């Protein structure tokens, strides 16, 4: 990998000879770059504005303890898509980690997702699955789902007031910095309750964490003689030097590409507070949610528990408190808010994106480039489809680029 630090000295010669420019080195961009290089023998240049590869999936050892920390929040790989699973196993082996989450509410710890164990513990009584179903249905009957006017009413109509107020209300208020009575009912479509003791968080066929960490996995994807990655390069500082018509995959923020001509799209962001704690185990699990509204953070990650097979220090651990808020202009965008106003802006950006593909050979992809929340497996699957259906045919045979934002 190389790094340019003085964009003013960059000329068109720096971008000559590449068959494809990829803007951003997250999973979407690297998947397309890897496919173009290995399947079509094309030369690919990846531009990354950060000082490291991998986008938000980047991980690194905490210096004092050596514990691997996911710098931009916990990343948990899971998928039921066999094609995606077979693809990623070319670059890494996976552990047998299965994600489980717990929630702290009023000094007590409960197992999530909401299941028979949580119901029995919360209501202080043993219920059979049928008894639990009847109890929740009775409590949820307070409000008919079709009559729900806001998120709070929708939540109560799905799981009843007691569980909503304990596990959804405070957490949601912190996530959105808004009273749930002021949030749209459309934000939640379902709140799953399991009437078994199963507390595995994901239901996917395949699940695990990369044995050597995310950064090693991502670096292997880019480790090909046809791929060059340039770090510390902001696309917007250099795009005038890219020869006109060079096929380009852009995975940065969609609205920024077009100079916010249709307005800024709304995002939520996350803040992280990392601490080395002088104990071998802080909370006994990888993720603890904090449901009480008066606790300012939404959850605490303890990263040693993601890799119990590793030989980490016995007297120190790393915890990261996570805070959620609306993203400002200079914040890292994480989750699309998707209000009606955002969706109207997005439709206008979609039309601009189609035109950009036709006129300038630029395609948009990934979470930021399509204004969609994509888990890692979704980003990889979408990138494979985009390569199969759009980018590959264009690079191989000169087929016109389809600029729609769906793969």
């Amino acid at each position: 990998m190389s790094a340019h630090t003085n964009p003013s000295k960059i000329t068109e010669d720096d971008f000559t000879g590449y068959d494809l420019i990829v803007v951003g080195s997250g999973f979407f961009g690297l998947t397309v770059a890897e496919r173009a290089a290995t399947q079509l023998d094309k030369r690919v240049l990846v531009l990354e504005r950060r000082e490291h590869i991998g986008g938000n999936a980047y991980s690194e050892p905490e210096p004092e303890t050596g514990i691997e920390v996911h710098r931009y929040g916990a990343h948990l790989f899971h998928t039921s898509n066999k094609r995606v699973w077979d693809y990623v196993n070319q670059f890494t082996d996976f552990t047998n980690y299965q994600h489980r989450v717990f929630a702290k509410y009023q000094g007590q710890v409960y197992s999530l997702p909401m299941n028979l164990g949580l119901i029995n513990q919360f209501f202080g009584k043993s219920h059979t699955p049928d008894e639990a179903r009847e109890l929740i249905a009775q409590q949820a009957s307070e409000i008919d789902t079709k009559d729900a006017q806001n998120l709070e009413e929708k939540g109560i109509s799905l799981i009843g007031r007691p569980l909503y107020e304990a596990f959804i209300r405070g957490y949601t208020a912190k996530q959105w910095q808004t009273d749930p009575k002021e949030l749209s009912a459309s934000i939640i479509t379902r709140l799953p309750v399991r009437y078994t003791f199963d507390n595995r968080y994901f239901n996917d066929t395949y699940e695990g964490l990369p044995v050597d960490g995310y950064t090693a996995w991502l670096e292997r994807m880019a480790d090909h003689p046809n791929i060059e990655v340039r770090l510390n390069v902001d696309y917007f500082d250099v795009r005038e030097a890219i020869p006109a018509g060079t096929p380009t995959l852009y995975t940065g923020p969609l609205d920024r590409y077009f100079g916010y001509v249709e307005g800024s799209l709304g995002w939520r962001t996350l803040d992280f507070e990392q601490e080395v704690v002088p104990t071998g185990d802080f909370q006994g699990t990888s993720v603890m949610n904090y449901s009480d509204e008066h606790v300012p953070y939404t959850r605490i990650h303890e990263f040693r528990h993601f890799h119990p097979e590793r030989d980490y220090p016995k007297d120190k651990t790393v915890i990261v408190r996570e805070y959620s808020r609306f993203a400002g202009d200079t914040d890292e965008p994480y989750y699309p808010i998707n209000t009606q106003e955002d969706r109207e802006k997005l439709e206008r950006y979609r039309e601009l994106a189609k035109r950009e593909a036709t006129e300038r050979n630029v395609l948009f992809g990934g979470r930021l480039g399509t204004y969609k929340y994509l888990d890692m497996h979704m980003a990889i699957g979408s990138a494979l489809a985009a390569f199969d259906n759009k980018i590959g045919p264009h690079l191989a045979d000169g087929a016109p680029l389809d600029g729609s934002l769906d793969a």
Side-chain angles (χ1 to χ4, degrees):
M1 294 183 201
S2 61
H4 279 290
T5 55
N6 188 352
S8 64
K9 294 183 178 179
I10 293 176
T11 68
E12 188 169 312
D13 290 342
D14 291 289
F15 300 98
T16 300
Y18 294 100
D19 302 297
L20 176 67
I21 306 291
V22 174
V23 181
S25 65
F27 273 115
F28 192 101
L30 286 185
T31 298
V32 170
E34 185 277 334
R35 293 287 84 184
T38 62
Q39 303 305 300
L40 298 178
D41 195 29
K42 300 297 184 181
R43 291 194 64 208
V44 184
L45 175 63
V46 179
L47 303 178
E48 172 55 59
R49 67 177 176 83
R50 290 171 171 167
E51 79 281 2
H52 60 73
I53 199 172
N56 283 2
Y58 175 75
S59 64
E60 61 187 349
E62 190 282 323
E64 186 177 342
T65 63
I67 294 172
E68 181 189 357
V69 172
H70 305 170
R71 187 190 287 187
Y72 304 97
H75 280 65
L76 304 152
F77 194 81
H78 56 97
T79 185
S80 293
N81 185 326
K82 189 172 188 306
R83 185 190 183 195
V84 169
W85 182 247
D86 290 342
Y87 175 74
V88 301
N89 273 270
Q90 296 178 78
F91 310 105
T92 180
D93 293 326
F94 287 86
T95 68
N96 61 0
Y97 176 86
Q98 290 187 341
H99 193 48
R100 288 174 169 82
V101 175
F102 296 84
K104 186 172 283 189
Y105 173 68
Q106 293 187 349
Q108 181 59 273
V109 173
Y110 299 87
S111 174
L112 294 178
M114 284 180 272
N115 56 34
L116 199 54
L118 180 147
I119 290 169
N120 288 346
Q121 184 182 1
F122 185 78
F123 292 106
K125 179 184 175 183
S126 175
H127 297 79
T128 67
D130 287 342
E131 290 169 343
R133 282 192 184 89
E134 184 178 350
L135 172 66
I136 301 307
Q138 179 183 352
Q139 293 177 345
S141 67
E142 175 185 342
I143 298 173
D144 193 314
T145 296
K146 70 177 184 298
D147 297 329
Q149 298 298 305
N150 54 54
L151 186 148
E152 177 157 304
E153 292 181 0
K154 182 72 168 290
I156 293 169
S157 78
L158 293 171
I159 60 172
R161 188 177 293 273
L163 292 180
Y164 165 80
E165 291 189 343
F167 300 104
I168 305 300
R169 178 183 160 73
Y171 195 86
T172 300
K174 289 187 290 187
Q175 273 192 314
W176 290 91
Q177 296 178 292
T178 304
D179 188 318
K181 293 189 187 73
E182 304 300 321
L183 293 170
S184 169
S186 65
I187 290 175
I188 52 172
T189 55
R190 57 192 294 266
L191 287 171
V193 178
R194 295 177 184 167
Y195 296 99
T196 69
F197 290 97
D198 177 19
N199 70 336
R200 183 182 169 195
Y201 198 75
F202 302 115
N203 291 317
D204 287 294
T205 307
Y206 311 105
E207 180 179 2
L209 291 172
V211 169
D212 301 319
Y214 280 101
T215 296
W217 169 8
L218 292 151
E219 287 177 342
R220 287 178 195 134
M221 292 181 72
D223 186 17
H224 190 279
N226 285 359
I227 299 175
E228 180 184 350
V229 180
R230 296 182 191 169
L231 304 176
N232 300 307
V233 178
D234 190 318
Y235 170 70
F236 296 100
D237 291 337
V238 302
R239 68 171 167 178
E240 296 306 317
I242 297 174
T246 303
T248 300
L249 171 66
Y250 173 84
T251 68
L254 178 64
D255 50 2
R256 187 186 176 197
Y257 180 92
F258 292 106
Y260 307 99
V261 65
E262 299 294 348
S264 296
L265 294 167
W267 294 85
R268 283 164 47 219
T269 191
L270 299 174
D271 296 317
F272 304 102
E273 182 181 271
Q274 184 169 306
E275 180 182 357
V276 176
V277 183
T279 180
D281 195 344
F282 178 79
Q283 63 187 19
T285 191
S286 51
V287 179
M288 181 74 69
N289 287 4
Y290 284 78
S291 299
D292 296 291
E293 196 168 346
H294 68 271
V295 178
Y297 39 85
T298 55
R299 52 189 175 177
I300 293 180
H301 304 280
E302 186 172 6
F303 281 97
R304 73 179 308 117
H305 292 291
F306 287 132
H307 287 281
E309 77 282 2
R310 293 182 181 175
D311 185 22
Y312 284 146
K314 304 293 190 292
D315 59 344
K316 294 177 183 177
T317 193
V318 180
I319 64 170
V320 176
R321 298 176 184 88
E322 183 176 305
Y323 302 79
S324 177
R325 60 182 173 82
F326 290 106
D329 291 343
T330 59
D331 291 317
E332 199 64 46
Y334 278 81
Y335 305 107
I337 294 175
N338 249 329
T339 63
Q340 180 61 35
E341 183 182 357
D342 286 322
R343 289 191 289 273
E344 291 169 1
K345 291 177 186 174
L346 179 59
E347 284 306 309
R348 296 194 291 271
Y349 280 123
R350 283 175 180 272
E351 292 305 312
L352 293 176
K354 289 179 184 177
R355 201 157 62 225
E356 203 72 3
T358 302
E359 296 177 358
R360 295 185 175 82
N361 279 356
V362 177
L363 281 186
F364 299 82
R367 177 178 55 94
L368 301 179
T370 60
Y371 194 65
K372 294 179 183 176
Y373 179 71
L374 299 174
D375 284 332
M376 289 179 285
H377 67 286
M378 297 165 66
I380 294 166
S382 179
L384 291 172
F387 178 79
D388 290 346
N389 301 328
K390 300 178 180 182
I391 299 166
H394 177 74
L395 294 177
D397 305 316
L401 281 175
D402 173 6
S404 61
L405 294 189
D406 298 304

